[in-house]
């Protein structure tokens, strides 16, 4: 979906041109709140891409503890590896079947990172105490306050506004698996995913993940390729102006597609970008509970996948170099 740049976008672009004409360097442009030259995506009215000048390095998280928020609300179909729906509030009790949440909490704790978790949209309006927000397979309009809507309330999109403001102050976003099945009707979120969205997938099947960028913090420790099992999402639109980190070797898949014609030799599964002042690291991988299990011997590629997402989270938090 392409849209004409609005009045605000024209003002931002004009500001960037004026400041550039005044001789200010790209970093100075960012400090002025203007987009980095050549990085303004007029479709999303945001500075987006691999240019670090798109990051708002305002020091807003300098005193923030190493803490993340895991969000897994499902306003539609629910992946089995999320387990039963969680009670309202922050850090409700978890069951053993909440495999994704339990796995992420355990993996991050081993790195000295504290994790909160919730499926309560009202808890998504105060995000600035976290160095990263992790979307762990939420679905559909997960940031819309349906209960308030049913009661005739207002500010139904308060969580969307909070996430946008969080990114603009230099926050970190991590999207895992069905983060691509979320907020279809919010263009800003599609931009956050790298101008990408889920279209369909073939069978949940074995395949081979191939690393295409060994320089990044989330890939440097991984082998050139590793076996993994997933649904191998196809994407529409296809991500643009991002740094691809890993792809699936489509020749390793028994069932390559369903309706979508597929992505051929460049079928991405992980990538990163700067977006609207913040950092975004995303992966379509993570369908099975075994991928998050403590015993990585039970699921092919679990050890590599877990190293990949932990380092990706740390990079989005700003703890290690991002999107190299």
């Amino acid at each position: 979906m392409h849209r004409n740049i609005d009045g605000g976008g024209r003002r931002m672009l004009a500001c960037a041109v004026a400041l550039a004409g005044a001789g200010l360097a790209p970093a100075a442009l960012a400090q002025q709140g203007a987009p980095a030259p050549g990085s303004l995506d007029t479709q999303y009215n945001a500075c987006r891409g691999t240019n670090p000048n798109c990051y708002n390095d305002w020091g807003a998280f300098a005193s923030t503890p190493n803490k993340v928020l895991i969000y897994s609300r499902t306003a539609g179909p629910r992946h089995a590896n999320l387990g039963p729906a969680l009670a309202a509030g922050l850090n409700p009790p978890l069951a053993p079947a909440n495999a994704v949440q339990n796995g992420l909490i355990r993996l991050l704790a081993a790195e000295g990172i504290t994790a909160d978790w919730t499926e309560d949209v009202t808890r998504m309006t105060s995000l600035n105490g976290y160095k990263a927000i992790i979307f762990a397979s939420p679905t559909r309009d997960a940031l819309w306050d349906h209960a308030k809507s049913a009661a005739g309330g207002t500010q139904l999109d308060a969580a969307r506004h909070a996430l946008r403001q969080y990114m603009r102050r230099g926050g970190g976003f991590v999207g895992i698996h069905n983060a691509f099945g979320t907020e279809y009707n919010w263009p800003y979120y599609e931009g956050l995913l790298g101008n990408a969205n889920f279209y369909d997938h073939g069978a949940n099947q074995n395949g081979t993940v191939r690393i295409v960028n060994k320089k990044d913090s989330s890939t440097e420790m991984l082998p050139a390729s590793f076996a993994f099992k997933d649904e191998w999402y196809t994407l529409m639109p296809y991500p643009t102006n991002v740094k691809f980190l890993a792809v699936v070797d489509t020749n390793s898949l028994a069932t390559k597609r369903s309706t979508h014609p597929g992505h051929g030799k460049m079928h991405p599964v992980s990538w990163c970008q700067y977006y609207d002042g913040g950092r975004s690291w995303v992966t379509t991988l993570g369908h099975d509970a075994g991928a998050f299990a403590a015993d990585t011997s039970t699921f092919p590629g679990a050890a590599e996948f877990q190293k990949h997402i932990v380092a990706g989270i740390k990079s989005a938090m700003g703890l290690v170099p991002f999107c190299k």
Side-chain angles (χ1 to χ4, degrees), residues 195-215:
N195 180 48
N197 232 317
F198 167 79
Y199 183 79
D200 67 4
H201 61 77
N204 184 30
Q205 60 187 305
N206 294 324
T208 300
V209 174
R210 183 166 57 86
I211 303 304
V212 294
N213 179 359
K214 285 284 287 182
K215 297 178 181 179

Side-chain angles (χ1 to χ4, degrees), residues 18-324:
L19 288 170
L24 291 178
L29 293 177
Q31 290 297 322
Q32 295 288 337
S39 299
L40 176 64
D41 189 323
T42 57
Q43 181 173 351
Y44 304 109
N45 196 21
C47 188
R48 183 180 81 80
T50 59
N51 188 339
N53 289 317
C54 282
Y55 182 70
N56 288 340
D57 191 7
W58 298 343
F61 296 91
S63 60
T64 303
N66 291 337
K67 192 173 186 179
V68 302
L69 179 63
I70 301 167
Y71 189 56
S72 54
R73 181 191 179 206
T74 49
R78 188 175 179 87
H79 274 66
N81 64 0
L82 291 177
L86 303 185
L90 191 67
N91 301 338
L94 294 174
N98 297 121
V100 176
Q101 301 92 325
N102 285 318
L104 289 173
I105 293 165
R106 171 182 52 80
L107 290 166
L108 294 171
E111 300 292 323
I113 298 169
T114 302
D116 285 339
W117 60 93
T118 191
E119 292 184 357
D120 186 341
V121 69
T122 67
R123 293 286 180 165
M124 294 297 290
T125 58
S126 181
L127 304 177
N128 293 341
Y130 301 100
K131 285 186 175 176
I133 307 301
I134 304 172
F135 272 36
S137 287
T139 54
R140 302 304 188 263
D141 297 328
L143 292 176
W144 192 258
D145 195 331
H146 297 86
K148 187 182 287 186
S149 176
T154 59
Q155 296 184 324
L156 311 179
D157 62 347
R160 289 179 178 179
H161 175 73
L163 180 61
R164 180 166 49 210
Q165 293 297 86
Y166 170 80
M167 294 304 297
R168 287 175 173 174
R169 75 192 301 265
F173 174 84
V174 174
I176 298 175
H177 196 52
N178 210 51
F180 287 85
T182 303
E183 293 293 336
Y184 288 126
N185 299 313
W186 186 27
Y188 182 90
Y189 184 79
E190 183 176 275
L192 182 59
L193 297 178
N195 180 48
N197 232 317
F198 167 79
Y199 183 79
D200 67 4
H201 61 77
N204 184 30
Q205 60 187 305
N206 294 324
T208 300
V209 174
R210 183 166 57 86
I211 303 304
V212 294
N213 179 359
K214 285 284 287 182
K215 297 178 181 179
D216 190 66
S217 298
S218 67
T219 56
E220 60 185 4
M221 81 298 289
L222 299 177
S225 63
F226 60 91
F228 198 66
K229 183 180 181 182
D230 215 285
E231 296 177 306
W232 313 110
Y233 285 179
T234 56
L235 305 159
M236 186 67 189
Y238 186 87
T240 58
N241 201 19
V242 300
K243 188 158 290 185
F244 293 115
L245 304 173
V247 301
V248 58
D249 181 353
T250 55
N251 290 328
S252 68
L253 304 179
T255 303
K256 294 182 173 60
R257 62 187 68 90
S258 52
T259 301
H260 191 288
H263 300 306
K265 294 182 178 180
M266 195 61 187
H267 186 148
V269 296
S270 298
W271 58 92
C272 56
Q273 64 162 346
Y274 295 95
Y275 187 72
D276 202 21
R279 308 180 186 97
S280 174
W281 187 98
V282 297
T283 180
T284 63
L285 303 179
H287 175 73
D288 287 281
F292 298 87
D295 183 359
T296 57
S297 67
T298 64
F299 191 87
E304 291 81 2
F305 170 72
Q306 291 177 19
K307 291 176 183 177
H308 186 45
I309 59 171
V310 167
I313 292 167
K314 291 173 69 175
S315 72
M317 295 174 69
L319 302 182
V320 295
F322 177 74
C323 214
K324 295 300 183 182

